[in-house]
């Protein structure tokens, strides 16, 4: 037989997470059967104040299974918010949580699952991807800490693209870039695998095509569905791999300075990609295919420009005086990354992002 021998594959471990996904337009109507499948009878419905109408619709759908609604979810999941929600869950004798909204609401559901062990059902309305991960995060005294626990992974996720049709273009753009960041980091994570690489590449491809289209026409149902599919794939990648410099920076910025989560990811992503990808050739090759480019970090920056996302930390209220605190926070705890990161690297990267 002629031809060259195939390249040897690296060893890997792939731990499949028990994800149940219900996807499609109108899938919200299937919520009662998902609640029944888990045997839940007293569900606490969670949302932000802005999502009360949709949460009310979800509560109405599940009828007497809804024990109450709590519209207090907040960005970065402050421990004070969790304490209030935990008291309400105990008062209602809740046996499960229905998180309707984006990463803030799903994060609150995870915090309650971590505390009480009761299951979460998620109905995502943004492209955050938190619903696909066993990662929880809590913020206390301006410090955000994260961890992994299979107990917080939502037991069922209902993806209904129709619920994203009213998501404003600017929120859609930053939420989608946040999801993209999950896949980018997964491609160079030390615990990646061929399965994760394939999901990450497709997720990036879906979002890169969908975001400009849905920003141009927010009612484009095809683009909305493609973006939600991409967010699902990218979120699943984040849930199965170790986070690196990008997420470390964003957690430090968000927790310390109370910055908006998705916008922070959108700003930081091209800068960290430019720093890391030269040390991660396989990740760079996958992103080059997904983005149809020879320069993935520049393509990510151009995509952010196209969809009107913020490009500078100064647009989020960060000043040069804030940067030393962020550098110290990132250096305080070790994390995996494809290339070493020192103080000078962080200072240069953050100054460039500022």
């Amino acid at each position: 037989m002629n031809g060259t021998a195939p390249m040897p594959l690296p060893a890997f471990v792939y731990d499949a997470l028990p994800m149940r996904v219900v996807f499609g337009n109108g899938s919200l109507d299937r919520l009662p059967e998902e609640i029944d499948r888990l045997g839940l009878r007293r569900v606490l419905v969670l949302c932000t104040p802005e999502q009360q109408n949709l949460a009310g619709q979800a509560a109405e759908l599940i009828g007497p299974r809804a024990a109450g609604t709590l519209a207090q979810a907040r960005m970065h999941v402050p421990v004070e918010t969790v304490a209030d929600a935990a008291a309400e869950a105990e008062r209602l004798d809740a046996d499960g949580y229905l998180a309707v909204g984006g990463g803030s609401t799903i994060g609150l559901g995870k915090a309650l699952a971590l505390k009480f062990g009761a299951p979460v059902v998620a109905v995502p309305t943004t492209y955050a991807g938190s619903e696909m991960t066993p990662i929880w995060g809590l913020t206390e005294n301006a410090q955000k800490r994260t961890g992994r626990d299979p107990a917080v992974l939502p037991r069922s996720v209902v993806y209904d693209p129709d619920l994203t049709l009213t998501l404003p273009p600017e929120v859609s753009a930053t939420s989608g870039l946040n999801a993209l960041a999950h896949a980018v980091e997964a491609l160079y994570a030390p615990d990646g695998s061929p399965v994760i690489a394939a999901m990450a590449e497709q997720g990036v491809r879906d979002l890169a095509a969908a975001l400009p289209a849905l920003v141009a026409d927010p009612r484009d149902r095809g683009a909305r569905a493609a973006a939600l599919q991409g967010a699902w794939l990218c979120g699943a990648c984040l849930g199965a791999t170790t986070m690196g410099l990008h997420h470390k920076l964003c957690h430090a910025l968000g927790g310390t300075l109370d910055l908006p989560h998705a916008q922070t990811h959108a700003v930081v992503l091209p800068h960290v990609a430019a720093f890391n990808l030269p040390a991660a050739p396989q990740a760079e090759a996958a992103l080059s295919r997904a983005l149809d480019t020879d320069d993935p970090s520049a393509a990510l920056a151009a995509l952010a420009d196209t969809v009107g996302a913020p490009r500078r930390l100064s647009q989020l209220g960060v000043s040069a005086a804030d940067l030393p605190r962020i550098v110290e926070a990132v250096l305080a705890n070790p994390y995996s990354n494809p290339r070493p990161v020192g103080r000078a690297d962080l200072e240069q990267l953050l100054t460039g992002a500022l």
Side-chain angles (χ1 to χ4, degrees):
M1 179 181 289
N2 295 326
T4 58
M7 293 290 290
L9 291 174
F12 65 89
V13 173
Y14 174 58
D15 189 6
L17 296 175
M19 301 170 186
R20 177 174 170 84
V21 171
V22 178
F23 191 103
N25 296 106
S27 290
L28 186 67
D29 291 338
R30 297 180 60 181
L31 192 54
E33 64 188 83
E34 293 304 302
I35 297 294
D36 286 345
R37 177 179 165 273
L38 293 170
L40 301 178
R41 292 293 176 263
R42 295 192 59 78
V43 177
L44 176 58
V45 182
L46 306 170
C47 66
T48 61
E50 296 79 16
Q51 291 276 32
Q52 287 188 74
N53 287 341
L54 180 57
Q57 181 183 346
E60 185 175 345
L61 275 171
I62 65 175
R65 308 169 193 80
T69 299
L70 185 70
Q72 295 181 13
R74 283 193 56 207
M75 184 174 61
H76 302 307
V77 197
V79 292
E80 298 82 4
T81 301
V82 176
D84 290 344
E88 181 68 356
E90 287 188 307
R91 186 184 73 82
L92 295 171
D93 192 25
D95 63 357
Y97 315 105
L98 173 58
V100 181
S104 299
T105 302
I106 294 167
L108 178 57
K110 288 180 170 184
L112 292 175
L114 186 67
K115 184 175 181 64
F116 296 121
V120 178
V121 174
V123 181
T125 59
T126 69
Y127 307 124
S130 174
E131 67 281 354
M132 281 289 111
T133 81
I135 301 166
W136 55 266
L138 296 170
T139 299
E140 183 175 16
N141 298 324
Q143 296 293 319
K144 187 167 185 177
R145 57 190 175 92
T146 62
R148 286 177 180 261
D149 192 310
V152 309
L153 183 71
R155 300 281 289 277
S156 181
V157 181
V158 177
Y159 285 111
D160 188 340
D162 287 346
L163 302 183
T164 67
L165 289 172
T166 57
L167 192 66
E170 62 274 13
V171 179
S172 301
T174 54
S175 180
L177 290 168
N178 175 21
L180 260 171
H182 304 332
V184 172
E185 285 228 308
L187 282 167
Y188 54 64
D191 47 2
S193 72
V195 176
I196 294 302
M199 293 172 70
E201 185 172 332
Q202 186 59 48
V204 170
R205 185 176 290 110
D206 286 341
L207 282 161
L211 291 179
L214 66 84
V215 166
D217 179 7
R219 306 294 296 183
D220 185 332
R221 291 164 67 92
R224 288 292 185 181
L228 202 57
Q229 175 178 286
W232 160 32
L233 294 172
C234 293
C237 293
L238 175 67
T241 55
T242 301
M243 291 182 286
L245 174 60
H246 173 88
H247 282 85
K248 187 69 177 179
L249 271 173
C250 291
H251 288 163
L253 286 161
T256 304
L257 305 177
D258 197 29
L259 300 186
H261 183 79
Q263 290 91 324
T264 304
H265 279 267
V267 171
V268 170
L269 176 59
H271 296 275
V272 176
F275 180 81
N276 273 339
L277 289 179
Q282 289 186 325
E284 187 170 40
L287 289 171
S288 294
R289 291 191 298 268
L291 297 169
D292 192 21
T293 181
D294 293 328
D295 189 345
S297 58
L300 290 169
L303 176 62
D305 284 331
T306 298
V307 299
R311 292 293 315 284
R312 300 182 300 278
L313 290 175
S314 58
Q315 293 174 266
L316 308 182
V318 180
S319 70
D322 295 318
L323 299 187
R325 278 194 292 162
I326 305 306
V327 171
E328 295 303 326
V330 174
L331 290 174
N333 296 298
Y335 52 93
S336 66
N337 201 60
R339 60 180 288 191
V341 187
R343 183 181 300 275
D345 298 315
L346 289 171
E347 290 172 348
Q348 182 177 6
L349 195 156
L350 285 166
T351 300
L354 185 64

